[in-house]
Amino acid sequence: MMNEIVIEDLLKEDKEIVRKLLIDSYKQYEQGFYSPEAWNDYIEQIKLSVDNPNIDRILVAKSNRKIIGTLQIFHSSGEAYNRPELNISSPIVRLLAVQPEARGKGVAQLLLKTSLEYAKSKGAGSLYLHSSDLMQKAIDLYQWLGFKRDESKEFYNRDVLVKCFRFDIKEGVVNL
């Protein structure tokens, strides 16, 4: 049984736990990658992401003091993707992950709701995130929560369309 879920900022001493959580969470997508090299590169980037100096915040979800979920928040598309040409100057969520055994219990929803509250507290009008068709269950969640597709902020990573989703804070209501 899942106890209360608490959202906190990542502590330095928990970086390795979060790194492992990210890898465990994203392993489900390995078979969808077009080459082993692309997969290995993706996992390496995920491992390095925890130490990215451009991150504004890393949030963690805890239950019984155990980290069961995480996400990263960036200030802009330049910091999040090294793509200033996307012209996103609102917070961007990256690398949302939930431990496989904790899925379906509202962890991702709570992390995203906390991200929306943080973006609102910063005066942002929107919160962005990007995903691909490989992560259709995640896309379904984002859309259910009220994120809308924004094709003007999409890009290709190799041959993969990276779709953009935007939550307009002033208009939106989070489905929780």
Side-chain angles (χ1 to χ4, degrees), residues 18-76:
V18 166
R19 204 178 317 273
K20 182 177 180 341
L21 183 153
L22 285 164
I23 293 165
D24 290 348
S25 181
Y26 279 82
K27 272 184 188 173
Q28 66 182 316
Y29 302 117
E30 182 174 4
Q31 297 306 312
F33 271 70
Y34 53 90
S35 75
E37 296 79 21
W39 170 251
N40 290 334
D41 183 48
Y42 185 66
I43 284 297
E44 196 55 38
Q45 292 304 313
I46 286 174
K47 289 177 187 175
L48 294 172
S49 74
V50 179
D51 298 310
N52 185 338
N54 293 326
I55 293 175
D56 180 20
R57 294 178 82 183
I58 297 178
L59 298 178
V60 294
K62 292 182 176 180
S63 179
N64 292 329
R65 292 182 286 200
K66 178 184 178 206
I67 296 174
I68 57 171
T70 187
L71 63 69
Q72 300 172 6
I73 303 174
F74 293 81
H75 289 294
S76 69

Side-chain angles (χ1 to χ4, degrees), residues 10-23:
L10 174 67
L11 301 173
K12 210 176 244 185
E13 60 264 24
D14 291 334
K15 280 187 172 188
E16 291 310 313
I17 294 167
V18 166
R19 204 178 317 273
K20 182 177 180 341
L21 183 153
L22 285 164
I23 293 165

Side-chain angles (χ1 to χ4, degrees), residues 5 8-9 15 38 49 66-67 112 124 127 133 142 157 171:
I5 300 167
E8 300 175 349
D9 285 308
K15 280 187 172 188
S49 74
K66 178 184 178 206
I67 296 174
L112 287 167
L127 178 70
D133 287 335
Y142 305 148
N157 186 1
E171 301 170 15

